[in-house]
């Protein structure tokens, strides 16, 4: 998947795509791997920017494919591209602005969800929407438009006020649901194909204590249970249901 002249390439989440990639060449030392350590990929060069200027300069001067990496939890070879410039965003991870009164925070895209929560927790605030695991980067999560276990909240895009993204020509664009909305909705869930997301402004909410409740039931009873007890229950913040691997007719519903 290429984007204009700079040819941003980001493989879609399909393990089968790795079958068409050339193997890592013997002697290559510039190698990227994901968290499983099962997908070594030889790249041309790796940079770990700490400034916006470094990111822009890398994009406008590189004459080939560019891959963007975060926490490297995408498994199946999506973390990098063979022969590409690999931009490792993990050191681009600072809080840019924070407002307790407006309940919003602006962060660099290499920051993890855990680091954000540690920053806002003393103020009694929490992220409005995030994925289940907090060690992913914001940029990676935005790129796939993740969802969490939040009841009725939908995917991550609904908690994002705006983003800043560097396009293939080096232009820095601010995008939101009202401004440059095509770029905003193309980048969130766009798997890095439009450019490099550098910042995001996120909505926050009040932090509250939660109590975990769990119930086991036959699978054929779960739909009725969900719509009667969960779907429109404002007291339920998180919910998920797991089918037992040894008994596919049984489900554990946790709220």
């Amino acid at each position: 998947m290429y984007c204009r002249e700079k040819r941003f390439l980001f493989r879609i989440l399909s393990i089968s795509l790795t079958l068409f990639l050339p193997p890592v060449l013997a002697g290559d030392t510039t190698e990227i791997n994901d968290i499983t350590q099962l997908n070594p990929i030889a790249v041309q060069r790796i940079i770990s920017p700490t400034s916006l200027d470094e990111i822009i300069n890398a994009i406008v001067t590189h004459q080939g494919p560019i891959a963007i990496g975060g926490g490297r939890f995408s498994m199946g070879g999506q973390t990098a591209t063979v022969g590409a410039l690999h931009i490792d965003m993990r050191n681009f991870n600072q809080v840019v602005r924070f407002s307790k009164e407006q309940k919003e925070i602006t962060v660099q895209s290499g920051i993890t969800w855990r680091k954000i929560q540690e920053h806002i927790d003393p103020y009694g605030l929490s992220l409005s929407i995030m994925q289940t695991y907090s060690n992913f980067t914001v940029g990676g999560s935005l790129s796939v438009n993740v969802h969490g276990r939040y009841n009725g909240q939908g995917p991550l895009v609904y908690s994002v006020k705006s983003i800043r993204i560097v396009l293939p020509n080096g232009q820095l664009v601010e995008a939101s649901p009202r401004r440059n909305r095509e770029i905003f909705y193309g980048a969130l869930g766009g798997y890095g194909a439009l450019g490099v997301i550098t910042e995001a402004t996120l909505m926050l909410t009040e932090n509250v204590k939660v109590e975990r409740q769990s119930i086991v039931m036959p699978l054929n009873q779960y739909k009725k249970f969900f719509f009667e007890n969960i779907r429109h229950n404002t007291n339920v913040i998180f919910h998920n249901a797991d089918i037992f691997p040894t008994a596919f007719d049984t489900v554990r519903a946790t709220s």
Side-chain angles (χ1 to χ4, degrees):
M1 189 184 304
Y2 292 86
C3 180
R4 298 180 183 176
E5 70 278 4
K6 296 302 293 186
R7 300 184 300 168
F8 273 87
L9 175 62
F10 200 120
R11 279 157 290 161
I12 304 303
L13 292 174
S14 171
I15 293 177
S16 63
L17 286 180
T18 62
L19 299 176
F20 301 97
L21 295 173
V24 176
L25 301 177
D28 281 331
T29 56
T30 307
E31 186 176 283
I32 296 295
N33 212 325
D34 59 38
I35 196 68
T36 68
Q37 298 299 295
L38 297 176
N39 297 287
I41 297 172
V43 300
Q44 183 185 107
R45 186 163 62 99
I46 303 171
I47 64 168
S48 299
T50 58
S51 71
L52 179 61
D53 287 342
E54 290 177 83
I55 296 171
I56 294 175
N57 182 65
I59 291 173
V60 298
T61 59
H62 183 73
Q63 298 299 315
I66 297 175
I68 312 158
R72 303 186 183 183
F73 290 96
S74 297
M75 296 173 286
Q78 301 91 354
T79 297
T81 299
V82 173
L85 166 66
H86 184 83
I87 305 179
D88 184 342
M89 298 292 288
R90 290 176 294 181
N91 290 329
F92 195 71
N93 61 357
Q94 299 302 306
V95 173
V96 179
R97 288 182 300 277
F98 166 64
S99 172
K100 176 184 177 182
E101 293 71 28
Q102 296 181 12
K103 295 182 181 177
E104 68 176 41
I105 190 168
T106 301
V107 296
Q108 295 177 336
S109 57
I111 198 170
T112 63
W113 297 103
R114 180 182 179 87
K115 187 172 180 179
I116 296 176
Q117 190 59 57
E118 289 174 348
H119 186 90
I120 64 179
D121 186 66
Y123 301 93
L125 295 174
S126 176
L127 290 152
S128 295
I129 303 174
M130 62 167 278
Q131 61 202 71
T132 304
Y133 299 101
S134 62
N135 49 357
F136 288 56
T137 62
V138 168
S141 300
L142 292 171
S143 295
V144 298
N145 193 20
V146 299
H147 65 84
R149 295 183 295 151
Y150 295 82
N151 184 37
Q153 291 282 33
L156 179 60
V157 64
Y158 292 116
S159 69
V160 182
K161 299 190 74 171
S162 65
I163 62 170
R164 299 180 86 195
I165 181 172
V166 180
L167 300 180
N169 61 3
Q171 181 184 5
L172 178 64
V173 174
E174 184 168 343
S176 70
R178 295 186 177 181
R179 182 181 182 187
N180 296 313
R181 65 191 313 270
E182 296 87 358
I183 294 176
F184 179 80
Y185 288 112
L188 269 67
Y191 294 88
L194 288 184
V196 179
I197 298 172
T198 58
E199 286 183 12
T201 299
L202 307 169
M203 303 175 193
L204 305 177
T205 189
E206 296 293 331
N207 201 357
V208 297
K209 292 183 178 180
V210 294
E211 177 186 1
R212 184 177 184 271
Q213 296 180 346
S214 184
I215 182 172
V216 176
M217 69 190 72
L219 180 59
N220 60 10
Q221 295 180 12
Y222 176 71
K223 181 179 179 180
K224 183 174 183 292
F225 168 82
F226 177 81
F227 282 101
E228 290 183 354
N229 300 279
I230 305 299
R231 182 67 182 91
H232 301 291
N233 187 345
T234 57
N235 289 322
V236 177
I237 297 177
F238 307 105
H239 180 78
N240 66 285
D242 300 302
I243 300 174
F244 287 155
T246 56
F248 288 101
D249 58 347
T250 305
V251 62
R252 178 181 293 277
T254 303
S255 303

